[in-house]
């Protein structure tokens, strides 16, 4: 039950993109087409889940016993960077079209604050191992949901008559604002 | 003369022409998250600028020693080191601010702006130019965060930097504290900046056209 609550809270109520502003760069950059947005979301979810497992192990089994907590930022980012490299090689091998679609944004998962933020959040909230994994999956699902919804809206926006200066990033931000308002309606759920 | 001009240009371009927020759309996460009040925005921008300047200086000094294949990883280690310094100093000296900014101080390490400048500028230029570039970008970032923070603080609690500006009769807009307020304000600001840039470009084109017409008319 508690795990379910953590999942729903991370995926919908406290959506990473719309409530914590984590992962805004890919949210604006890769949300042109639903298909690539969805695969970006899946890649992020995958990296998030592995990252949460690895960072948990590093923090509680290495950093804490040796009182090296101040190395948290450095060690987490290194682990995440090498993980992303691994995922990139994996996708390149398995699916060429997917690799081409995600293009420059795959290496940028490294600097996707959602992943680093997730690792930091699960440490500050003192989640245990399983809670951490569920939290990561929930956050990933929430990210995928938000970025896919946004891509769907933006595909329609292509046909709309938007005033020139507002095309591109500005209208995306305004749409995200309205989405955030809608998502804040879930606040009473938990 | 030419050299001096490039240096000024390196410094000034971050202010407006290549403003990290409004034009390059980099480093959005902290921008949106911490600008609930103007003071938070300033603190965040100063911390980011410190990291940006130190990392640019160091990386431009060792740029010839770093093999291209592992450059991103090396940049990240350098950035993470300075971020840890900032984080620890803030926890010790400004516990209140550190609490208000929360996980967003360690998250400077994944700010695309910082890594982006290392990749695009510091790894290719000498230390002086890199530091000027970093300072300019930092100031541009500071201005954007201050404007955004002030607008949100003003409309949400009638104050700027804690001083009351709007009269009590003004009903505070609760939405401005919520995440939605951040997205909407930044979207509108960015649109306005684009509109201004487009207008200037149109005016400049018009001026060139006018001059051309005048010369052709006089020659005929």
């Amino acid at each position: 039950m508690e795990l379910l609550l953590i999942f729903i809270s991370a995926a919908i109520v406290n959506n990473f993109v719309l409530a914590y502003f984590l992962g805004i760069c890919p949210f604006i950059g890769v949300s042109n087409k639903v298909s690539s947005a969805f695969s970006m979301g899946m890649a992020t979810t995958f990296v998030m889940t592995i990252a949460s497992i690895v960072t948990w192990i590093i923090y509680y089994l290495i950093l804490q016993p040796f009182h090296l907590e101040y190395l948290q930022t450095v060690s987490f980012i290194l682990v995440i960077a090498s993980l992303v490299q691994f995922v990139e090689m994996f996708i390149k091998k398995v699916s060429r079209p997917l690799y081409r679609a995600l293009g420059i944004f795959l290496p940028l998962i490294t600097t996707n604050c959602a992943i680093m933020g997730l690792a930091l959040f699960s440490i500050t909230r003192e989640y245990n191992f399983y809670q951490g994994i569920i939290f990561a999956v929930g956050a990933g699902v929430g990210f995928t949901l938000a970025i896919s919804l946004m891509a769907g809206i933006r595909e329609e926006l292509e046909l709309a008559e938007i005033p020139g200066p507002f095309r591109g990033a500005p209208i995306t931000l305004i749409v995200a604002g309205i989405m955030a308002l809608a998502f804040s309606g879930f606040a009473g759920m938990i | 003369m030419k050299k001096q001009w490039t240096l000024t240009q390196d410094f000034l371009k971050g202010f407006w022409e290549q403003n990290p927020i409004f034009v390059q759309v980099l480093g959005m996460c902290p921008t949106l998250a911490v600008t609930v009040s103007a003071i938070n925005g300033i603190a965040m921008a100063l911390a980011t600028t410190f990291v940006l300047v130190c990392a640019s200086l160091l990386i431009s000094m060792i740029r010839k020693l770093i093999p291209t294949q592992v450059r991103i990883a090396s940049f990240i280690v350098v950035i993470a080191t300075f971020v840890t310094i900032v984080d620890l100093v803030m926890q010790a000296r400004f516990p209140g601010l550190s609490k208000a900014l929360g996980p967003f101080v360690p998250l400077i390490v994944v700010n695309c702006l910082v890594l982006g400048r290392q990749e695009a500028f510091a790894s290719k230029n000498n230390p002086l130019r890199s530091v000027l570039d970093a300072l300019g970008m930092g100031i541009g970032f500071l201005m954007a965060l201050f404007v955004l923070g002030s607008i949100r603080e003003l409309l949400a609690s009638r104050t700027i930097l804690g001083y009351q500006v709007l009269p009590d009769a003004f009903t505070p807009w609760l939405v401005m504290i919520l995440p939605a307020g951040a997205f909407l304000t930044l979207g509108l600001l960015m649109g306005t900046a684009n509109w201004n840039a487009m207008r200037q470009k149109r005016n400049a084109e018009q001026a060139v056209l006018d001059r051309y017409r005048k010369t052709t008319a006089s020659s005929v």
Side-chain angles (χ1 to χ4, degrees):
Chain A
M1 191 61 213
E2 202 200 337
L3 292 180
L4 188 70
L5 270 184
I6 290 178
F7 180 81
I8 292 181
S9 153
I12 297 176
V13 182
N14 292 318
N15 188 289
F16 258 45
V17 178
L18 298 171
Y20 289 143
F21 308 105
L22 295 167
I24 299 285
C25 298
F27 182 65
I28 291 172
V30 202
S31 57
N32 288 323
K33 270 169 53 200
V34 176
S35 53
S36 53
F38 187 73
S39 18
M40 180 72 190
M42 290 327 269
T44 310
T45 312
F46 180 63
V47 176
M48 267 181 172
T49 315
I50 303 179
S52 81
I53 297 172
V54 179
T55 49
W56 191 91
I57 293 174
I58 290 187
Y59 189 80
Y60 287 105
L61 300 184
I62 300 175
L63 295 185
Q64 223 173 30
F66 293 105
H67 303 289
L68 292 171
E69 282 94 342
Y70 58 89
L71 284 180
Q72 187 186 342
T73 316
V74 182
S75 54
F76 281 13
I77 192 69
L78 274 180
V79 168
I80 291 169
S82 27
L83 256 180
V84 172
Q85 199 80 48
F86 168 72
V87 171
E88 191 188 346
M89 286 179 339
F90 184 75
I91 291 185
K92 199 173 177 180
K93 191 98 186 156
V94 173
S95 159
R96 272 271 154 178
L98 186 62
Y99 180 74
R100 233 169 287 143
L102 295 182
I104 170 183
F105 280 95
L106 253 182
L108 276 185
I109 293 188
T110 319
T111 47
N112 183 340
C113 15
I115 293 169
M116 185 72 181
L118 174 104
L120 292 171
F121 269 125
S122 26
I123 299 296
T124 39
R125 292 185 187 171
E126 296 176 348
Y127 282 147
N128 67 29
F129 190 66
Y130 298 108
Q131 286 171 331
I133 296 177
I134 295 294
F135 181 56
V137 177
V141 169
F143 179 78
T144 315
L145 181 71
I147 196 173
S148 307
L149 280 176
M150 179 51 107
I153 295 174
R154 277 185 77 174
E155 279 185 356
E156 298 293 318
L157 278 182
E158 292 279 303
L159 306 171
E161 275 189 49
I162 304 160
F166 279 89
R167 289 205 188 121
I171 193 72
T172 312
L173 283 167
I174 294 173
V175 170
I178 298 169
M179 273 169 74
L181 265 186
F183 267 71
S184 65
F186 289 115
M189 251 172 72
I190 290 185
Chain B
M1 187 61 200
K2 177 123 193 289
K3 195 171 171 223
Q4 228 169 24
W5 170 240
T6 20
L7 289 181
T8 340
Q9 188 60 18
D10 282 338
F11 180 55
L12 287 179
K13 70 175 187 296
F15 284 27
W16 186 249
E17 196 186 322
Q18 287 202 35
N19 188 292
I21 302 293
F22 295 130
V23 181
Q24 301 192 63
V25 201
L26 287 174
M28 306 299 279
C29 313
T31 311
L32 291 161
V34 304
T35 48
V36 179
S37 66
I39 188 79
N40 283 3
I42 293 177
M44 186 68 205
L46 288 181
T48 311
T49 308
F50 172 79
V51 174
L52 187 57
V53 171
C54 294
S56 287
L57 178 65
L58 193 62
I59 284 172
S60 60
M61 281 183 339
I62 59 170
R63 68 183 189 280
K64 284 175 188 139
L65 301 175
I66 305 176
T68 359
Q69 294 89 338
V70 293
R71 67 181 192 288
I72 303 276
S74 332
F75 297 165
I76 287 178
V77 177
V78 172
I79 296 169
T81 313
F82 287 113
V83 170
T84 310
I85 297 175
V86 169
D87 192 19
L88 293 179
V89 169
M90 276 184 88
Q91 275 175 23
R93 308 290 304 198
F94 312 101
L97 263 181
S98 170
K99 197 152 243 167
L101 297 180
F104 284 95
V105 180
L107 278 179
I108 296 175
V109 77
V110 282
N111 190 329
C112 336
L113 169 63
V114 182
L115 190 67
R117 284 335 281 170
Q118 309 314 323
E119 170 79 2
F121 205 90
S123 58
K124 297 185 189 109
N125 291 290
N126 63 37
L128 179 63
R129 288 189 65 187
S130 306
V131 167
L132 282 176
D133 171 77
L135 266 179
M137 288 292 159
I139 293 172
F141 191 60
L142 176 73
M143 292 195 301
L145 257 68
F146 177 69
V147 171
L148 194 57
S150 308
I151 294 177
R152 285 182 71 191
E153 194 185 332
L154 182 70
L155 295 178
S157 49
R158 315 187 195 103
T159 58
I160 289 181
L161 290 171
Y163 298 103
Q164 184 156 1
V165 176
L166 289 176
D168 281 335
F170 181 83
T171 315
W173 299 8
L174 185 64
V175 69
M176 281 300 165
I177 310 187
L178 298 177
F183 282 118
L184 292 175
T185 318
L186 185 59
L188 291 174
L189 274 178
M190 213 183 256
T192 320
N194 279 352
W195 173 74
N196 193 29
M198 280 171 140
R199 204 189 46 169
Q200 271 174 0
K201 202 172 147 204
R202 211 169 41 231
N203 285 349
E205 274 166 11
Q206 194 61 44
V208 171
L209 265 181
D210 284 349
R211 208 162 51 223
Y212 176 71
R213 278 207 197 101
K214 225 178 266 166
T215 43
T216 41
S218 63
S219 66
V220 169

